[in-house]
Amino acid sequence: MKKFITVITICISVFGLQAQELTSPNGNLEMKFSLKENGTPAYQLFYKGEEVIKTSTLGLELQDDSTSLMNEFEISDTKTSSFDKIWTPVWGEQAKIRNHYNELAVTLDQPSTDRKMIIRFRMFNDGLGFRYEFPQQENLVYFIIKEEHTQFAMTGDHTAYWLPGDYDSQEYDYTTSKLSEISSKFDEAWVGNASQTQFSKSAVQTALMMKTEDGLYINLHEAALKEYSLMNLNLDENSLVFESWLTPDAIGNKGYIQAPAVSPWRTIMVSDDATDILASNITLNLNEPNKIEDTSWIKPMKYVGVWWEMITGKSTWNYTDEFPSVKLGETDFENAEPNGKHGANTAHVKEYIDFAAENGFDGVLVEGWNVGWEDWFGHSKDYVFDFVTPYPDFDVEGIQKYAESKGVQMIMHHETSGAIRNYERHLDTAYQFMNTYDYPAVKSGYVGDIIPRGEHHYGQWAINHFLYAVKKAADYHIMVNAHEAVRPTGLRRTWPNLIGNESARGTEFQAFGGSKPNHVTILPFTRLIGGPMDYTPGIFEMDISKINPDNNSHVNSTLANQLALYVTMYSPLQMAADLPENYKRFPDAFQFIKDVALDWDESKYIEAEPGEYITVARKAKGTENWFVGNVNGTTPRTSKIKLDFLEDGKKYEATIYADAKDADYKTNPQAYKITKKSVISKSTLKLTSAPGGGYAISIFEKE
Ligand code: NOJ
Ligand code: CA
């Protein structure tokens, strides 16, 4: 393993119009950095000699500062170096990760203000990362960002898989269109949610996936988002230039910086093979190493929960329908009349614990266990939950003892309702409560507009909170799975107790009217680039009216597709989201969910095309067993896969859970076929996936 070696150090003190070049270790990618005549930094990116990012300028506009950090720069120093090291994640898609890049750090002086800024570029085989750095200095200490002006100039009218730009939500279906069509399709893409803020009809969110006419795949995202606001991208439709658009705070400012400081990394992945985007570790590699010394308490979990029944409307989070409003500590729940539909009652929770124990699940999530759900959202309510007071029918201690006796762990739920200030007030007590009752993990949630009012989910203030909650949880040995929080940017490397996030349109939307059938063929190229998603797969009953006659939603997926998601949507936290009674109806298919692993030694991305299909194989950690998943878009498709990832000379038994011949996500979603087959590394499999379908395969080594 090579150590950090400084290869060349060049000092240039003349006016900097010189181009600096940086290539990837394999030579496929090349970046050219230069200063324009007015001293504006610019870069250009090439893949295999072809331009993929046209000359794009870099810089930051500061509040109350006429010069800003935009131009009048001179290059005062450039340093190049190389890095090549392998590291071991606490959990992940693979046991070892190689961090291999060439680096160029350009120091820029601004003589008129006597200020300095560094732009650091890291070039990997699969893409480029760069960030702004503000070193300690006299004339740049505290400053406010008015806007970051980082450009990504596209070379053509690419196909994009995009979400509408928003300061508060990314719970949208993806729209696939040409770049030039974004603004005309924006209104159609913008569907209602509990908290949303629109700012430009040509804005999109990251990770943005694109495909060029020449078949190049380009992905724009960010890594290590800390003490900074989230970036959306705004497109100039005439020039096809994207520019960063940060999330403002309540008074319109976009970032408060105290030097020394760094911005998040801006990342550009490029390849002519879509599977390289899925396999890329750039986001993780640009984050700092693990900061948690003892990680023995951080463990992947497979769980069930008192959840889908509330999402579908069969039962309720609230205990009573008696109170139009609740005041914590004042409302008398003991004497209130129960509504008879409260999901989180002790007897029912025990049934879930039994089901979890019988089927080898690690945990049970229970939502609606604590008082406050009677008027929990939509009222900009500050003191909404205290996170420690159970409803009268939820026996915290009894449930804990019962779960322990069955070898199952309880998963806590903290819905904050966006009242972040209130959550922080209660955070220590809430985590202590979890320690007392042995809850190893919390699902937190941020539905609705943020309080303090005017702040956004993706502004610097909320972003600081999300990380604060994760760091504090680490002190209490608690794992965090945050819903409606900012999208992940690889921070799980530094804080591996951040085991999950939602931050996208999850399975819940299948019960709120449905998601597009190819949604899950795009998420791994976009949302999952930043980190795992608590997608909550495993729905076996697609007709939601069978659960709640008042809900006519249809789950746009076949049952085999639902199984495949445990492999294609990587996460160390996987839920079997459907009701136990639905699993009992299909015990042979449920077997795959029971068998599938959560943590992996290796992952092989076999074939992929955004919006169309993804096939992935993963080797379960510490075993010789493999699991394969294929998810398919709306066109039926036959894939031929080679099992050459299996070890030569070993014999395996494969169980294939595939769509039946007549399966279809809409008309016949529950038609599947299970076959068993002896396989070796030379075997190939030919399998057909239905519209919105797929297949899952478990491959166990024979004794
Ligand atoms: C939205 C979350 O995504 C969902 O999982 C949760 O049940 C509700 N909020 C209530 O907290
Ligand atoms: Ca959600």
Side-chain angles (χ1 to χ4, degrees):
M1 226 178 298
K2 282 187 221 155
K3 279 252 153 204
F4 188 87
I5 326 158
T6 301
V7 179
I8 329 164
T9 306
I10 327 161
C11 287
I12 305 157
S13 55
V14 289
F15 283 107
L17 289 173
Q18 315 85 335
Q20 306 288 321
E21 289 175 7
L22 179 68
T23 50
S24 57
N26 66 3
N28 280 350
L29 280 161
E30 188 184 16
M31 191 275 304
K32 288 188 180 153
F33 175 85
S34 61
L35 285 183
K36 296 189 134 184
E37 279 93 44
N38 60 352
T40 304
Y43 74 102
Q44 206 183 352
L45 186 64
F46 300 85
Y47 177 76
K48 294 186 180 170
E50 194 184 321
E51 191 182 42
V52 275
I53 304 284
K54 297 205 288 188
T55 302
S56 300
T57 57
L58 300 168
L60 294 119
E61 188 181 350
L62 307 189
Q63 195 73 271
D64 308 321
D65 186 314
S66 54
T67 316
S68 286
L69 296 169
M70 299 282 291
N71 44 41
E72 297 181 25
F73 283 113
E74 293 172 4
I75 298 177
S76 67
D77 190 17
T78 60
K79 283 194 172 64
T80 55
S81 60
S82 297
F83 188 87
D84 189 3
K85 225 172 164 175
I86 288 169
W87 59 279
T88 309
V90 177
W91 42 262
E93 298 95 319
Q94 60 207 92
K96 302 269 176 218
I97 295 178
R98 185 175 181 189
N99 188 4
H100 188 196
Y101 59 81
N102 293 329
E103 179 173 291
L104 168 70
V106 185
T107 304
L108 299 168
D109 283 359
Q110 198 175 44
S112 63
T113 61
D114 197 16
R115 296 191 296 214
K116 239 185 227 337
M117 174 172 87
I118 296 168
I119 305 181
R120 189 177 302 275
F121 296 91
R122 287 189 181 162
M123 187 70 95
F124 303 79
N125 286 339
D126 41 356
L128 173 70
F130 60 87
R131 71 177 180 192
Y132 302 96
E133 300 185 355
F134 315 103
Q136 180 82 269
Q137 57 195 293
E138 278 291 318
N139 292 341
L140 187 70
V141 187
Y142 292 97
F143 58 97
I144 296 173
I145 298 174
K146 190 168 177 201
E147 190 57 272
E148 179 187 319
H149 294 283
T150 300
Q151 291 187 342
F152 304 88
M154 298 297 114
T155 55
D157 196 5
H158 308 327
T159 299
Y161 308 82
W162 56 273
L163 301 179
D166 191 334
Y167 294 151
D168 285 288
S169 174
Q170 50 199 115
E171 296 184 344
Y172 297 96
D173 260 319
Y174 286 90
T175 301
T176 303
S177 80
K178 292 284 178 197
L179 293 174
S180 58
E181 295 168 336
I182 289 174
S183 62
S184 61
K185 292 190 182 285
F186 190 94
D187 287 342
E188 201 185 315
W190 184 267
V191 292
N193 205 302
S195 176
Q196 325 172 255
T197 310
Q198 197 180 115
F199 53 88
S200 160
K201 294 218 167 146
S202 53
V204 295
Q205 308 198 31
T206 75
L208 175 67
M209 187 68 205
M210 287 173 284
K211 188 179 182 185
T212 70
E213 273 185 359
D214 302 338
L216 277 191
Y217 298 89
I218 305 172
N219 185 289
L220 306 178
H221 191 39
E222 63 180 303
L225 170 60
K226 285 180 290 190
E227 294 177 44
Y228 206 87
S229 315
L230 178 97
M231 173 179 77
N232 277 278
L233 296 171
N234 195 43
L235 182 72
D236 179 315
E237 278 179 355
N238 295 317
S239 60
L240 298 178
V241 175
F242 277 113
E243 198 168 290
S244 51
W245 184 304
L246 300 181
T247 308
D249 71 355
I251 56 170
N253 291 329
K254 295 200 161 184
Y256 296 81
I257 310 293
Q258 180 188 348
V262 295
S263 76
W265 295 91
R266 277 63 185 96
T267 59
I268 308 169
M269 296 176 199
V270 189
S271 181
D272 47 19
D273 181 346
T275 63
D276 289 342
I277 307 288
L278 300 177
S280 174
N281 283 310
I282 289 184
T283 320
L284 282 177
N285 281 332
L286 288 170
N287 273 271
E288 289 168 44
N290 173 23
K291 286 200 168 130
I292 302 176
E293 241 166 71
D294 169 18
T295 55
S296 57
W297 50 276
I298 302 175
K299 294 202 172 82
M301 289 182 93
K302 205 184 285 178
Y303 72 103
V304 291
V306 181
W307 180 70
W308 191 238
E309 56 189 85
M310 281 92 90
I311 291 291
T312 53
K314 179 181 192 242
S315 52
T316 63
W317 282 273
N318 51 302
Y319 169 73
T320 172
D321 294 337
E322 216 175 296
F323 308 126
S325 105
V326 162
K327 289 206 168 163
L328 295 191
E330 292 176 31
T331 304
D332 179 9
F333 283 101
E334 292 298 331
N335 295 308
E337 187 178 347
N339 66 9
K341 288 174 76 182
H342 182 225
N345 67 78
T346 303
H348 192 47
V349 170
K350 285 185 175 171
E351 288 169 7
Y352 271 85
I353 294 173
D354 289 341
F355 182 75
E358 279 157 24
N359 294 290
F361 285 83
D362 307 294
V364 175
L365 164 79
V366 183
E367 297 197 3
W369 67 276
N370 59 322
V371 297
W373 288 90
E374 283 66 23
D375 67 338
W376 71 284
F377 120 84
H379 312 293
S380 191
K381 184 173 171 179
D382 191 350
Y383 279 87
V384 57
F385 292 110
D386 69 8
F387 312 98
V388 293
T389 310
Y391 281 122
D393 60 347
F394 184 86
D395 172 11
V396 187
E397 202 174 332
I399 285 170
Q400 155 52 25
K401 288 207 171 110
Y402 190 74
E404 201 183 325
S405 76
K406 298 270 176 169
V408 170
Q409 291 188 295
M410 299 303 297
I411 299 179
M412 176 49 74
H413 183 231
H414 291 163
E415 174 55 63
T416 68
S417 229
I420 290 182
R421 173 73 187 93
N422 181 54
Y423 191 34
E424 289 192 355
R425 257 178 218 134
H426 292 95
L427 204 53
D428 275 290
T429 336
Y431 285 161
Q432 274 155 17
F433 182 89
M434 285 179 61
N435 281 173
T436 305
Y437 294 104
D438 257 344
Y439 284 68
V442 61
K443 169 179 171 180
S444 54
Y446 297 88
V447 170
D449 290 338
I450 299 291
I451 298 181
R453 297 173 184 101
E455 289 298 332
H456 295 290
H457 284 75
Y458 307 150
Q460 186 178 10
W461 190 86
I463 280 161
N464 287 350
H465 160 77
F466 298 134
L467 189 55
Y468 171 76
V470 171
K471 287 186 190 176
K472 193 166 257 307
D475 295 341
Y476 287 92
H477 287 192
I478 286 169
M479 298 181 278
V480 175
N481 163 29
H483 281 223
E484 295 89 27
V486 70
R487 51 180 161 266
T489 56
L491 292 174
R492 59 144 156 159
R493 178 178 179 192
T494 318
W495 301 100
N497 66 319
L498 177 57
I499 47 160
N501 271 115
E502 181 195 51
S503 312
R505 189 178 175 94
T507 299
E508 60 186 1
F509 281 86
Q510 298 279 23
F512 304 159
S515 293
K516 289 185 182 171
N518 72 346
H519 189 53
V520 292
T521 65
I522 301 176
L523 282 172
F525 285 103
T526 52
R527 164 61 185 76
L528 268 69
I529 295 297
M533 178 170 177
D534 183 32
Y535 187 69
T536 69
I539 304 304
F540 281 10
E541 181 49 71
M542 313 302 169
D543 176 357
I544 300 302
S545 71
K546 294 218 169 111
I547 297 174
N548 170 16
D550 297 330
N551 185 340
N552 287 321
S553 296
H554 177 85
V555 177
N556 292 321
S557 162
T558 69
L559 196 149
N561 174 283
Q562 289 292 313
L563 297 180
L565 295 172
Y566 290 89
V567 187
T568 59
M569 297 285 289
Y570 165 69
S571 175
L573 189 74
Q574 289 284 17
M575 185 178 204
D578 210 336
L579 308 180
E581 50 262 43
N582 288 332
Y583 291 131
K584 287 176 188 160
R585 287 164 55 205
F586 304 95
D588 55 352
F590 186 48
Q591 189 60 41
F592 182 82
I593 302 181
K594 295 204 284 184
D595 288 341
V596 70
L598 298 168
D599 204 12
W600 312 95
D601 276 338
E602 278 177 65
S603 290
K604 303 271 181 209
Y605 299 89
I606 298 173
E607 47 173 12
E609 182 63 31
E612 306 287 335
Y613 56 87
I614 292 176
T615 311
V616 184
R618 302 191 200 272
K619 180 166 168 280
K621 203 168 231 170
T623 75
E624 290 302 322
N625 305 331
W626 287 79
F627 294 85
V628 180
N630 162 279
V631 286
N632 190 39
T634 44
T635 315
R637 179 172 177 273
T638 300
S639 58
K640 260 194 227 156
I641 58 162
K642 290 187 186 155
L643 303 188
D644 53 4
F645 46 81
L646 299 178
E647 205 177 307
D648 276 345
K650 286 203 160 118
K651 290 182 177 158
Y652 302 82
E653 179 166 77
T655 307
I656 304 164
Y657 304 75
D659 289 323
K661 269 210 173 69
D662 50 352
D664 181 282
Y665 75 89
K666 201 154 201 105
T667 54
N668 198 12
Q670 288 167 327
Y672 63 89
K673 197 175 161 208
I674 300 177
T675 41
K676 285 191 191 285
K677 227 178 176 164
S678 294
V679 294
I680 54 170
S681 64
K682 295 200 172 51
S683 307
T684 51
L685 295 175
K686 196 175 155 195
L687 296 161
T688 301
S689 299
Y695 55 83
I697 312 173
S698 60
I699 305 177
F700 289 104
E701 190 190 0
K702 281 189 182 166
E703 292 300 313

